[in-house]
Each structure stands twice: as structure tokens, then as C-alpha cells.
Amino acid sequence: MPDNETDDVQKLQPAAVQGRIVIFTAGGLNPQVMINALSERFTDIHIIKELPESKGEIVKRRARRLGWINAFGQLATMIASRLYKTVAAKRSAEIIAQHGLRADENPDIPVIKVLSLNSDECRTAVEALKPDVVFTISCRILSEKNLAAIPCPVINFHAGINPMYRGQMGGYWSLVENDAGNFGATVHLVDKGVDTGGTLYEQRTTPDKADTMATYPLLLTAASTGIAINAIEDALSGTLKPHQPAGKSVLRFPPPVWIWLGTA
């Protein structure tokens, strides 16, 4: 298993392997920070950007799995946390600066906009771009049909340590469960499950006292640009070495507002 607990591992790497990278995302601050870091390492990057799912779609999907009470409780947390992000803007700027990263959009990276990454237009775009690796971050789960149509490795950045903190809010749940040693992120292969593909790299870090649920994902993203670069270089050079880490597999969701208020 590779040693992946060091900071700034990308600085220790030789010149990047050449190849085309296509990034799947719904956009946002965290993926933009990651994209900018990748663009400093790789020259042939394209983005396929989907429209984010509506809150209504998310609530309906979660209600089918968890019930309406939990679904609306999670919606309340989502709304409250978005409001809290405004308060956390100063800390977010600090995180970006401390890691030497950028959050502005890069106009030199081509972007193809699609309604959904599971659409026919997305498959057509992938066929035209002919990627050597697809990197996903902050986007919906790929359907089996669209995943099967991608002719190269598909790698995901997940802000949580798999398999214990699959799904959403992995950093938050690790702290709630007094498991601060697993406050971290995973870069893994994508399969038909939710964060169940083979792990490639992990990165653990320690949150600042100023961090909250609003900034945990950004902190984990900023701390993990190096392992994302390493995984992409492995894919381009044909040296991917996925493994299945130990631990109980648990799919996580945002906490209902009554749990969040008790742990905030």
C-alpha cells in the first residue's frame, strides 16, 4: 500500500505523464480549487459540467430511501449550512491561501455543459474527447450505462475515508463518531456503487478549531490535491493499484437538522 499521508506529495513527483483528462463535475468552489491544482500539473484538461440536481430531486430520492421526515430534516440542514457558508467565507479563503491554491475559474480550460452526466449528450461528448482518464468530483452518481460507455479508468475524489464514510459529509461524521484519525479523503476507482470502488490513495488531515461542517469539504479538497494528481498519473501510466481497505462499509447522508444542531 502506498504511503499517502505526506503533504504536498505532488511536489515530489517527476514530470507529469501526458494524456487527456476529462473532469466530470457540477461545479462549485471545491471542485474549482481541485481543477486549478490539476491544471498546474496537466496540460490537456477538458471539463464536462452538468447542472446541479434540484433540491426537490434530492429530497424525493432521499425520501424513497430514508423517509420524508429524514429527507426534510436533511433539507433543513442543507439550507442552514449554505447560510453558514457565508459566515465561513473568511475561513474558506484562509484554507485556499494556506495550501497555495486558487479558486477562480480558468478560462483556458474548455468546458462542455450538459443537462446531466447521465445523458446521451454527455456520452457523445466523451466519445468525441477520447479521454485517457476521467476524474469525477462533486457530481451525481454515474449510471451503469454511462459508466460502461467510458473507455478509460474513471477516478473519483471523495471527501471521506472509505468504506466507513462513504456518501456525504464524511469528515463531519468522522468527528461526530469520535474518529478524528479518519478525518480525511479518498481517491478511488468508480464502479456502480456509491464510493465502493477500489481505493487508490487516502489523505488524512486535522481540522482547525475554526472549521465547521461548512468548511470540512473544502479543507479535505485542498489537502488532497496531491493524491488526486498521483492517481491520475498512475492511470495515465497504466500503474493503478486499487485495494480494498478494511473497515465497516457505511453510506452517509447529511445529518437531519436536529442532529446537526446537537453536534454543531
Side-chain angles (χ1 to χ4, degrees), residues 8-31:
D8 298 325
V9 288
Q10 69 271 35
K11 295 179 181 179
L12 305 178
Q13 297 295 322
V17 180
Q18 297 301 307
R20 172 162 291 179
I21 301 152
V22 172
I23 298 173
F24 285 3
T25 186
L29 174 64
N30 299 353

Side-chain angles (χ1 to χ4, degrees), residues 9 21 40 53 64-65 96 125 156 158 176 179 207 238 249 256:
V9 288
I21 301 152
E40 292 184 1
E53 288 185 280
R64 288 193 294 268
R65 177 188 286 266
I96 293 168
N156 180 57
H158 169 59
V176 167
D179 188 20
S249 181

Side-chain angles (χ1 to χ4, degrees), residues 213-230:
M213 186 170 69
T215 59
Y216 294 151
L218 175 60
L219 175 62
L220 291 172
T221 301
S224 303
T225 57
I227 62 171
I229 289 170
N230 284 353

Side-chain angles (χ1 to χ4, degrees), residues 5-187:
E5 299 299 327
T6 57
D7 292 332
D8 298 325
V9 288
Q10 69 271 35
K11 295 179 181 179
L12 305 178
Q13 297 295 322
V17 180
Q18 297 301 307
R20 172 162 291 179
I21 301 152
V22 172
I23 298 173
F24 285 3
T25 186
L29 174 64
N30 299 353
Q32 190 60 56
V33 167
M34 178 66 78
I35 289 167
N36 288 340
L38 297 180
S39 70
E40 292 184 1
R41 187 69 177 171
F42 305 102
T43 57
D44 193 357
I45 292 179
H46 296 253
I47 298 170
I48 301 182
K49 184 179 180 180
E50 68 174 355
L51 288 178
E53 288 185 280
S54 69
K55 288 183 176 64
E57 291 174 317
I58 295 171
V59 169
K60 288 178 182 178
R61 187 177 67 251
R62 290 180 181 163
R64 288 193 294 268
R65 177 188 286 266
L66 304 171
W68 284 103
I69 292 177
N70 277 315
F72 279 118
Q74 291 172 0
L75 175 62
T77 301
M78 289 169 61
I79 294 171
S81 65
R82 285 186 180 277
L83 295 174
Y84 203 79
K85 281 185 178 179
T86 302
V87 178
K90 180 180 178 181
R91 173 57 184 156
S92 295
E94 289 175 353
I95 291 171
I96 293 168
Q98 286 169 357
H99 288 82
L101 300 170
R102 296 180 295 108
D104 54 307
E105 291 191 13
N106 187 339
D108 296 328
I109 301 177
V111 179
I112 297 173
K113 295 183 179 181
V114 299
L115 181 64
S116 167
L117 292 171
N118 288 323
S119 64
D120 290 340
E121 60 180 335
C122 181
R123 288 195 298 276
T124 299
V126 171
E127 289 174 3
L129 289 172
K130 296 179 173 58
D132 295 296
V133 59
V134 168
F135 183 82
T136 69
I137 179 170
S138 297
C139 62
R140 71 187 70 200
I141 301 300
L142 298 180
S143 67
E144 290 188 48
K145 180 179 180 181
N146 275 39
L147 183 58
I150 299 174
C152 63
V154 182
I155 295 171
N156 180 57
F157 170 75
H158 169 59
I161 295 293
N162 291 340
M164 300 86 74
Y165 302 103
R166 296 166 43 231
Q168 295 179 283
M169 305 292 183
Y172 163 84
W173 284 115
S174 70
L175 298 177
V176 167
E177 298 188 0
N178 296 315
D179 188 20
N182 278 318
F183 182 88
T186 306
V187 176

